[in-house]
Amino acid sequence: MEKRRLSLENGSYNVNVEEKNGQLIPSGNGHTNFCPNGSIKGGIIFPSKSRAAIPERETWTRQMDFIMSCVGFAVGLGNVWRFPYLCYKNGGGVFLIPYVLIAIFGGIPIFFLEIALGQFMKAGSIAVWNIAPLFQGIGFASVVIVFFCNTYYIMILTWGVYYLVKSFTSVLPWSNCNNTWNTPECLEIFRHDDCGNGTVNATFGNVSPITEFWENKVLRLSSGLDDVGSINWELLLCLLACWTLVYFCVWKGVKSTGKIVYFTATFPYVVLLILLVRGAMLPGAVEGIIYYLKPDWSKLGSAQVWIDAGTQIFFSYAIGLGALTALGSYNRFNNDCYKDAFILAIINSGTSFFAGFVVFSILGFMANEQGVDISKVAESGPGLAFIAYPRAVSLMPVAPLWSALFFFMLLLLGLDSQFVGVEGFITAILDLLPARYYFRFQREVAVAICCVVMFLIDLSMLTEGGMYVFQLFDYYSASGMTLLWQTFWQCVVIAWVYGADRFMDDIARMIGYRPFPWMKWCWSVITPFVCMAIFIFNLVNYKPLTYNKTYTYPWWGEAIGWCFAMSSMLCVPVTFLYKFTSAKGTMKERWHSLTEPVWGAHHLEYMAPDPDVKSLTSLSPVSDNKVIIFESVM
C-alpha cells in the first residue's frame, strides 16, 4: 500500500491506495469518499448529487461554430478601416513583409496560446490562470480591457445603424448643403477647377456636406471635453437597438452564438465582393489599387513601419482581450486548436488584404471625381467609415443602395466582434462564481446586468462632447500599449513559470501530436522581445491625444485616459504582490505553492498518469471509470 496525493480545485487530498485486479483504488472505508463534493468515489469519477442541478460547461455543437465565432470576433472593423490605410502609408506592397514576419513570430503564437490555454483549462480569461495562480492578475487585466472595449466599441455600431437608417432615402442627407445643420462654409462638390493658386475660392467655402453631417448632425460636436451638452436622442435609440441585439445574441450561450455567427461572419464577405465588383467598374479604380500596392522599398528601413505592422497584428488578431480564451474553453478537449490557429490567422490577414482592394478602388474613384491626389482622400478609422466612404457613395449612381450595403456590412462586422467580446467577459465573470451559488437563469441575468451597466456608461458618448469621451476610451483603455503589456506577460508566465516544454506536453495530450518547436521558441524569447520592443517604442514616442489634429485634450482629460490604461496594466503587479505577501512560508515555499497549477475536474478525465507525450503521435482521452493518480508522496 502506498499514499498518493490528488490535487483538485478545492484542495489536495492524501489517499491510501492499493492494487486490485491490476487497478489502483483507495483503500479503507475512511477514504472511499475523500472528495468533499462527492464527485470522486473509490478512484472512479462519479457525478455528485449536489452538482446535478448545475449544467456542465457547454461545448460547441460543431467545430465550425468555433471557427466562425473566432472569425466573427477577430475579423472586424480594423481589417477594413485600418489595414488598407497602413498599407498605402507604409510602402504599399512592401508593408506585407514586416506584417507577415510579425504575424509569424508574434501574432500567430499568441493567438494559438490563448485558444490552447482556454481549451486546456476549460475556463475563461481569469480562471484560466489557475495554471499559475500567482499571475492571475493577467486574467483580471484582460477582463478590464475587454470591459472597456465592449463599452466604447458599440458606439461604432450605433453610428453605423444611424447611417444605415438615413440611407433609406431617395437622396442621401449628406450629399448636399440644403439641410438645417449645414453652414455657409458648406461645399457640395470639390473639384480641382474650383481652386485658385492651390487654394479654395472663398465664395465656394471649404467644408464638405458629409463632414458637416458627421460633426453637426451625428456628433453635434461641442467645443471640448468640458462642454458636455445634451444627449442625441436619435443616437440613443440606435444604441438601445444595438445593445438589445447583443443581448439576444449572447444570453443563451455558445449554442445560440455559434448559430448567429454563420450569418454575421460570412455575409460581410458577400457585401465586400459586391462592393469590389462595383468599385472596379468606376473610373479611377485601377489607379487607386495601384496606389494601394505600389511598393516603396525605402520604407523597410523605417522603424515606424515595423511598429505599425506589429500594432496592426495585435489589434486585428484581437489578442490580449481574453475573448479567444473564452471561445477556446468551449472546445472539446481533443480539438486540433493548432490547425485552427493557422486557419484563422490566414482568414484574418487575407480579409485585411482583400478589404484594401475594396477601399482603394472606391478612394481612387473619389480622387478622380474631385481631381485630387489619392493621399488627400485616404483616411483611417472613423474618418474612412463615416466621412470618406459616405462621400464616395454619394457620387455613385443609385447612391442609397451602395450606402445601405456598406453600412449593413459595417454593422455585421462590428456586431459579431461585440457580442463575442461580451461573451468573453461574461464567461470570465461566471467562472469566478462558486458552484454553490448557481441558480436558474444565472447567465441571462448576468448578461442583462452587463449590458445595462455598459449602456449607462455609453450615455456619456451620446452627448455633444461624446466624441472626446469615445477617443479617451479608444486611445488609452484598449490601446496598443495595454495589449502589448498583456501579451508580454502571457508569454513569460507560460514559457518561464509554467514551462514552455510542459505546456507543449499538455497540447500534445489534447491534439495528439506536438506542435512545431518554433511555437515554444516564440513564447520563450521572440514574442516577448517583439512585444516589449514595440511597447517601449510607443512609450518613448508617446504623443498627447488630440481630436482631428486641432483640439488638444486638457491635462485632466489625459489623466483620466491614463487611469483607464493603468487600471488594467497594474492588475498584474498588484495581484502578484498581494498573493505573494499574504501567503505563508519562506519565499521559496510561497513561490512553489503559488505557481503550482490548480487543476479542474475535467483534467482528471483526460490526463493519464505520466504519459510519454514527447513520443506520442496520437492520444485519446482517458476513458471513464479509469483511475487517475498524480504524484507519489510516499
Side-chain angles (χ1 to χ4, degrees):
M1 183 185 300
E2 61 178 322
K3 182 174 289 185
R4 300 288 180 102
R5 175 174 294 144
L6 181 65
S7 297
L8 293 172
E9 289 180 357
N10 48 5
S12 298
Y13 302 90
N14 293 327
V15 185
N16 292 321
V17 295
E18 61 183 351
E19 185 173 355
K20 286 186 179 181
N21 299 324
Q23 188 180 47
L24 289 172
I25 64 172
S27 64
N29 293 334
H31 296 286
T32 56
N33 187 10
F34 58 85
C35 190
N37 61 18
S39 60
I40 301 178
K41 292 186 178 181
I44 303 174
I45 300 174
F46 291 105
S48 67
K49 292 181 180 179
S50 63
R51 284 191 172 186
I54 303 173
E56 294 183 2
R57 190 175 192 85
E58 289 183 289
T59 55
W60 300 104
T61 304
R62 55 185 69 85
Q63 197 53 35
M64 186 54 69
D65 295 358
F66 166 71
I67 296 291
M68 298 308 296
S69 294
C70 287
V71 169
F73 179 64
V75 177
L77 299 173
N79 301 77
V80 175
W81 75 17
R82 196 165 185 266
F83 177 84
Y85 175 81
L86 289 178
C87 198
Y88 112 83
K89 171 192 168 188
N90 292 304
V94 172
F95 181 69
L96 296 177
I97 296 175
Y99 179 84
V100 170
L101 287 176
I102 294 179
I104 292 173
F105 293 106
I108 295 175
I110 301 175
F111 194 91
F112 172 53
L113 172 66
E114 292 194 4
I115 293 175
L117 190 58
Q119 181 172 311
F120 180 68
M121 294 300 291
K122 287 288 183 185
S125 56
I126 296 177
V128 77
W129 291 102
N130 281 334
I131 201 167
L134 184 58
F135 294 91
Q136 206 164 42
I138 299 174
F140 292 117
S142 66
V143 167
V144 173
I145 294 172
V146 82
F147 175 82
F148 285 139
C149 193
N150 291 338
T151 300
Y152 82 84
Y153 189 85
I154 201 167
M155 283 305 302
I156 303 170
L157 278 74
T158 302
W159 297 327
V161 169
Y162 187 82
Y163 273 81
L164 178 62
V165 172
K166 296 295 183 181
S167 297
F168 292 103
T169 56
S170 57
V171 178
L172 294 175
W174 56 81
S175 62
N176 59 67
C177 296
N178 304 323
N179 305 285
T180 56
W181 58 81
N182 293 125
T183 68
E185 299 297 313
C186 182
L187 173 67
E188 290 190 12
I189 300 177
F190 176 82
R191 295 185 183 278
H192 188 69
D193 295 340
D194 296 329
C195 297
N197 298 322
T199 60
V200 179
N201 191 312
T203 60
F204 286 93
N206 57 4
V207 183
S208 70
I210 178 57
T211 302
E212 292 201 341
F213 179 82
W214 169 240
E215 294 187 348
N216 299 344
K217 176 63 175 174
V218 181
L219 300 180
R220 299 180 183 177
L221 198 62
S222 68
S223 59
L225 186 61
D226 53 350
D227 186 4
V228 178
S230 59
I231 289 178
N232 186 330
W233 296 102
E234 289 180 304
L235 284 183
L236 178 62
L237 294 176
C238 294
L239 177 65
L240 185 61
C242 289
W243 272 121
T244 303
L245 267 175
V246 170
Y247 176 79
F248 286 108
C249 287
V250 176
W251 72 320
K252 289 297 183 183
V254 297
K255 297 293 185 183
S256 61
T257 303
K259 305 296 184 296
I260 297 167
V261 290
Y262 277 89
F263 176 71
T264 58
T266 57
F267 193 74
Y269 290 95
V270 177
V271 179
L272 279 172
L273 185 59
I274 293 172
L275 291 175
L276 176 61
V277 173
R278 176 61 183 137
M281 298 168 62
L282 296 170
V286 174
E287 288 79 3
I289 293 173
I290 291 173
Y291 193 82
Y292 166 52
L293 296 176
K294 185 179 179 181
D296 182 358
W297 296 100
S298 64
K299 293 284 188 179
L300 273 181
S302 171
Q304 186 61 51
V305 173
W306 294 82
I307 300 303
D308 284 347
T311 52
Q312 174 62 16
I313 286 290
F314 284 89
F315 273 114
S316 65
Y317 280 31
I319 49 185
L321 299 174
L324 293 173
T325 303
L327 295 178
S329 72
Y330 296 116
N331 279 333
R332 301 184 316 276
F333 189 82
N334 296 109
N335 172 61
D336 193 345
C337 53
Y338 185 58
K339 178 184 69 177
D340 290 348
F342 282 95
I343 293 173
L344 292 167
I346 291 171
I347 292 174
N348 191 306
S349 296
T351 301
S352 298
F353 187 62
F354 175 67
F357 289 93
V358 179
V359 169
F360 272 85
S361 64
I362 300 296
L363 295 182
F365 159 72
M366 189 172 161
N368 182 74
E369 283 290 299
Q370 298 180 9
V372 297
D373 189 76
I374 296 176
S375 61
K376 302 295 183 183
V377 296
E379 295 190 60
S380 178
L384 172 66
F386 301 111
I387 296 180
Y389 211 99
R391 185 188 300 164
V393 296
S394 68
L395 301 174
M396 296 184 195
V398 200
L401 171 64
W402 305 112
S403 177
L405 270 177
F406 174 76
F407 286 109
F408 185 58
M409 176 198 70
L410 201 72
L411 174 62
L412 293 181
L413 279 173
L415 183 61
D416 46 20
S417 297
Q418 178 72 22
F419 69 65
V420 174
V422 172
E423 174 64 51
F425 179 79
I426 293 297
T427 298
I429 298 301
L430 292 182
D431 282 348
L432 288 179
L433 298 178
R436 62 180 178 274
Y437 293 134
Y438 175 81
F439 60 91
R440 193 181 180 189
F441 303 121
Q442 174 180 271
R443 180 183 178 84
E444 290 85 344
V445 171
V447 175
I449 293 173
C450 167
C451 292
V452 168
V453 170
M454 293 179 184
F455 173 82
L456 293 176
I457 297 174
D458 286 332
L459 294 180
S460 64
M461 303 181 205
L462 300 179
T463 62
E464 294 170 15
M467 187 59 182
Y468 305 112
V469 178
F470 172 85
Q471 273 208 320
L472 276 180
F473 275 86
D474 183 44
Y475 194 74
Y476 290 101
S477 66
S479 67
M481 284 199 296
T482 57
L483 297 180
L484 290 163
W485 176 263
Q486 182 77 349
T487 50
F488 169 81
W489 283 109
Q490 287 180 354
C491 291
V492 167
V493 172
I494 290 298
W496 297 103
V497 178
Y498 182 74
D501 285 314
R502 188 179 181 186
F503 191 60
M504 292 284 277
D505 292 344
D506 296 335
I507 293 170
R509 287 186 174 96
M510 293 192 296
I511 66 177
Y513 62 92
R514 293 178 67 80
F516 193 67
W518 75 270
M519 281 288 183
K520 178 182 68 175
W521 303 332
C522 287
W523 297 335
S524 302
V525 180
I526 302 173
T527 305
F529 175 79
V530 169
C531 291
M532 191 49 60
I534 299 175
F535 177 87
I536 294 173
F537 183 89
N538 283 339
L539 196 61
V540 171
N541 292 277
Y542 167 77
K543 296 179 181 178
L545 178 61
T546 60
Y547 175 74
N548 208 20
K549 299 181 180 178
T550 55
Y551 173 75
T552 302
Y553 279 70
W555 68 266
W556 55 268
E558 278 199 80
I560 293 173
W562 277 108
C563 286
F564 289 158
M566 300 306 291
S567 63
S568 62
M569 294 172 67
L570 288 177
C571 285
V572 179
V574 169
T575 304
F576 177 94
L577 291 174
Y578 172 75
K579 284 180 173 285
F580 199 79
T581 55
S582 59
K584 297 180 180 179
T586 64
M587 303 282 276
K588 185 177 180 180
E589 290 171 342
R590 294 182 192 186
W591 175 266
H592 178 75
S593 63
L594 291 173
T595 55
E596 187 69 24
V598 179
W599 300 119
H602 76 284
H603 290 97
L604 304 180
E605 301 178 48
Y606 289 101
M607 293 175 67
D610 302 323
D612 185 11
V613 293
K614 291 180 175 59
S615 62
L616 284 178
T617 56
S618 64
L619 180 68
S620 300
V622 180
S623 60
D624 292 339
N625 298 337
K626 184 177 178 73
V627 177
I628 308 299
I629 300 296
F630 283 80
E631 56 178 317
S632 173
V633 296
M634 296 302 292

